[in-house]
Each structure stands twice: as C-alpha cells, then as structure tokens.
C-alpha cells in the first residue's frame, strides 16, 4: 500500500477529531463577518467549498481566492488562510501584507513553520499532516474543521455523519467502468464545486489523467461534447434534473452518489487517483514535477 492510500484511509477519524477541535477553538469567523478564504492548489479548492458552505449557513458574505490573486483593494473583517506546509510563499506574502490591517486565521499541519508567526491566530491540525506530496487527508480535515464550526447548515450533514459515509467510501469497490475509463469530468454545485475542482486535480497530480471540472449546470454548455463511451461524468452532491438522461444519450458513464456526503464521495475520487497511478506504474506518493510545498526564490 502506498503512503497516500494509507493516509486516505484515516480520514473518518481525522474528521471526527476536527469536529471536536472546532468546538473548542477560538478564532473562527463570527456570524455576520465579511470573510475571505485563501490558499493555493488544493487548499484554494477547500477555500472555495468553505466559502459556499458559510454563506449557505447564513453566516455572511464569504469570498475565496487563490493567494496570488487576492484583491488587495477589498475590505474584509477576517481572512482565513489554508496551508498544509505553513511555508507556501504566496500565502506567507499575503499574510504579511495583511498584518495589522485585518485579523487573520491560518490552518496548518506543521506548528514549526513560518505561518505560526505570520497569522494572528493559527489552528494546528497536525494529526492530519501527511508524508505524501499529494494532499488528501489534510485538505478534507481542514474543510471538516471549518464546516463543523458553522453548526447546522441546511441540506448538509453534520461532520459526524459525513465520517460514517467516509468509512464506506474507503472500503467499497470502485466501479469497473470508472476505473477503466479514459476521461473523467467532475461536476458540483454550490460548495461541492470546490470538491469537483479538487477531484480533477487529484487525478491529474497522482495519475496524470485527463480530467476536467465544472459547475454542474455548465456541463451542458459545452463540456458534454467530450463525453461518450469510456468517459465519465461524476457529480458531487445533488444531480441536476435531466443530466442523467443527457449523459446516457451520448453514451457516457454517470457517477452520482446523492445519498453519500459529498466530502465522503471525494474519498472515492482520491482512491481512484491512486488506483490509476499504480496501474500506470507511477508513485502516487511522489508525483512527477511536484513538491510538497511551493517555495519561490526571491
């Protein structure tokens, strides 16, 4: 078993611990605050998901940006940064620029990194740190932590129930049609769009696969043109009306697990990425051209 696969399997326990930690943590955004969430790569996609969840929970306007694209002219009550390594250049530069102007919160896996001094408050999720270059459990644990801090969200399961779904997602066999496909398109609506982005990235990182991701309702505005036999349309969360008929019409394979929590469904996509990587002889722990953290030289 690869290290990535082993880390994927620990996510239910990590989420439960995240929910417990969120209940005790002081420094999460308060209801009514105008908040921006930021990160790079996978962390940015988790930021997109959390921003949509926070607004769905009625806690206030919430935006998400890649750290390199943060709009310096906008005013926020709090900025939340997600950085597994605590060393990512763009995140640290942004936090430095915001110091003294707006309260900042960072989520990290490593308490011995510069982010500890760069942010006003830090949530250390070190039990979810990873040895693998590819992010899996830290990203989902960070989102579970932030999600748990929102309390009840209409139409979204509590984190404890998501962890139960995650246990099944870890063990159930992946469909042969999905494993044997040549192309995968991931779709989501609201907060699950961030998960779709992350699923596609995971497949590209670990397996070098041809994957794309879109808001689910945009799929019929062009992306459906690449769907056909041997190609998958994978929907996180609620399946838009009529989409299954359209995928079937063009001969594609539809994946839609509406009964499962979408974050748990992301685990299945992570497992698929590892399975495909191993089938190609790739090392999912150390993907080509990637490092654990992007640190830019001055």
């Amino acid at each position: 078993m690869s290290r990535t696969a082993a880390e994927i399997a620990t996510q239910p326990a990590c989420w439960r611990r995240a929910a417990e930690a969120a209940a005790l943590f002081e420094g999460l955004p308060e209801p009514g605050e105008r908040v921006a969430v930021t990160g790079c790569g996978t962390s940015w996609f988790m930021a997109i998901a959390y921003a949509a969840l926070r607004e769905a929970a009625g806690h206030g306007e919430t935006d998400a940006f890649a750290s390199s694209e943060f709009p310096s002219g906008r005013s926020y009550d709090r900025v939340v940064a997600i950085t597994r390594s605590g060393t990512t250049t763009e995140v640290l530069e942004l936090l430095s620029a915001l110091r003294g102007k707006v309260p900042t919160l960072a989520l990290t896996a490593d308490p011995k990194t510069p982010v500890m001094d760069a942010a006003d408050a830090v949530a250390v999720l070190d039990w979810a740190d990873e040895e693998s270059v590819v992010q899996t459990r830290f990203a989902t644990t960070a989102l579970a932590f932030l999600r748990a801090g929102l309390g009840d969200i209409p139409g979204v399961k509590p984190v404890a129930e998501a962890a139960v779904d995650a246990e099944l997602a870890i063990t159930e066999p992946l469909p042969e049609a999905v494993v044997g496909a040549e192309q995968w398109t991931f779709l989501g609506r609201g907060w699950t769009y961030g998960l779709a982005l992350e699923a596609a990235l995971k497949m590209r990182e670990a397996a070098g696969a041809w994957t794309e991701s879109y808001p689910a309702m945009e799929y019929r505005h062009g992306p459906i043109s690449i769907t056909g036999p041997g190609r998958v349309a994978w929907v996180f969360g609620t399946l838009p009306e009529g989409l299954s008929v359209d995928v079937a019409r063009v001969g594609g394979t539809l994946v839609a697990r509406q009964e499962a929590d979408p974050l748990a469904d992301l685990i299945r996509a992570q497992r698929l990425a590892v399975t495909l990587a191993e089938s190609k002889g790739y090392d999912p722990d150390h993907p080509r051209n990637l490092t654990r953290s992007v640190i830019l030289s001055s």
Side-chain angles (χ1 to χ4, degrees), residues 170-192:
I170 288 167
T171 59
E172 65 181 355
L174 296 170
E176 291 185 9
V178 173
V179 175
E182 65 174 358
Q183 189 276 335
W184 300 261
T185 299
F186 296 95
L187 308 170
R189 298 190 73 180
W191 73 281
T192 69

Side-chain angles (χ1 to χ4, degrees), residues 19 22 31 50 52-60 144-161 191 261:
Y50 171 61
L53 280 170
R54 187 171 184 270
E55 291 203 353
H59 283 216
F145 177 85
L146 293 168
R147 171 176 161 180
L150 295 172
D152 295 334
I153 308 171
V156 179
K157 295 181 179 181
V159 171
E161 293 184 19
W191 73 281
D261 187 275

Side-chain angles (χ1 to χ4, degrees), residues 11 13 26 29 43 48 73-74 108 114 131 164 214 276 295:
Q11 288 175 101
E26 296 182 3
S43 295
I48 291 171
R74 294 193 186 181
T108 189
E131 294 180 19
V164 174
Y214 302 94
L276 293 175
I295 302 175

